[in-house]
Amino acid sequence: MRRAVPATFALALVAGACVAPAATAEGRQIEALYTAFLVIAALVALVVFGLATFAIVRYRFVPRAAGIEPRQVHGNNLVEVIWTAVPLLIVGGLFAGSLAVLARTEARSAEPVVEIQVEAFRWGWTFSYPDEGVQVSGFGNPGPEIVVPIDRPVRLSLTSADVAHSWFVPRFLFKRDAIPGRTNTFEITVEEPGTYRGQCAEFCGIGHSQMPFGVRAVSEDEYRAWLEQASGDQG
């Protein structure tokens, strides 16, 4: 058991290092917070396992027949203050960091470049660009795909037509629930061009696994060209 815990922790560190980097500005902030949590957890584990191993090896059992007893210590006020204060400081720092990241990821820009209305339904998605009169809808694989410009704030207003769903894009490190009768608004700023796959992450019925979608991030010129073409197709 003692060997399994460090081995599991080491595997967690390796797995964390292999995760693809976040593709949005908001995701990078979340990623930095995750990294801080992981590093602090690793340091705490190193101290705990190191001290435990030292105590086990240094003060291992000695038969009483040998006439040797370890020195008896009745506590140490300084050590007790340290092991109380350090965890409090760590937890307080992580709490403050979490609040700061939450505030930044929940922030709203004064004038987002793109506004998209998202409606989830069993079992698909409808994405509407109200200012441009463009709508993208679909269900099943590969699902509908929206296009957004890189390095520009994109505001999404998310709701559901029937039951609870969830909008989730792994590379964005972001998930937000779609609730009937309620609108959840958030913003993303994609920093790297590419296509990012998303999926409903809230079990919503028999077709839940068939609710993928895509977000394609392109340059602003490409985005305008796509918008013009999509508007013409639907006009």
Side-chain angles (χ1 to χ4, degrees), residues 48-65:
V48 171
F49 286 120
L51 291 176
T53 302
F54 171 78
I56 291 169
V57 174
R58 175 65 178 81
Y59 303 105
R60 61 190 179 279
F61 176 75
V62 177
R64 284 184 176 275

Side-chain angles (χ1 to χ4, degrees), residues 116-132:
I116 303 175
Q117 295 176 352
V118 185
E119 183 179 66
F121 60 90
R122 292 182 296 186
W123 285 277
W125 302 88
T126 296
F127 299 92
S128 302
Y129 298 71
D131 294 338
E132 292 80 11

Side-chain angles (χ1 to χ4, degrees), residues 7-8 45 51 72-74 80 85-86 88 107 113 121 178 181 193 215-216 227 231:
T8 302
L51 291 176
Q72 303 302 304
V73 178
H74 179 67
E80 291 180 10
V86 170
L88 287 175
V113 172
F121 60 90
V215 179
R216 180 157 57 95
L227 204 59
S231 180

Side-chain angles (χ1 to χ4, degrees), residues 59 65 105 116-117 144 162 164 196 234:
Y59 303 105
T105 55
I116 303 175
Q117 295 176 352
D162 37 51
Y196 304 96
Q234 295 184 14

Side-chain angles (χ1 to χ4, degrees), residues 9-35:
F9 184 75
L11 288 174
L13 287 176
V14 173
C18 294
V19 174
T24 65
E26 298 79 12
R28 282 194 301 104
Q29 295 168 358
I30 297 171
E31 184 179 45
L33 181 64
Y34 286 172
T35 301

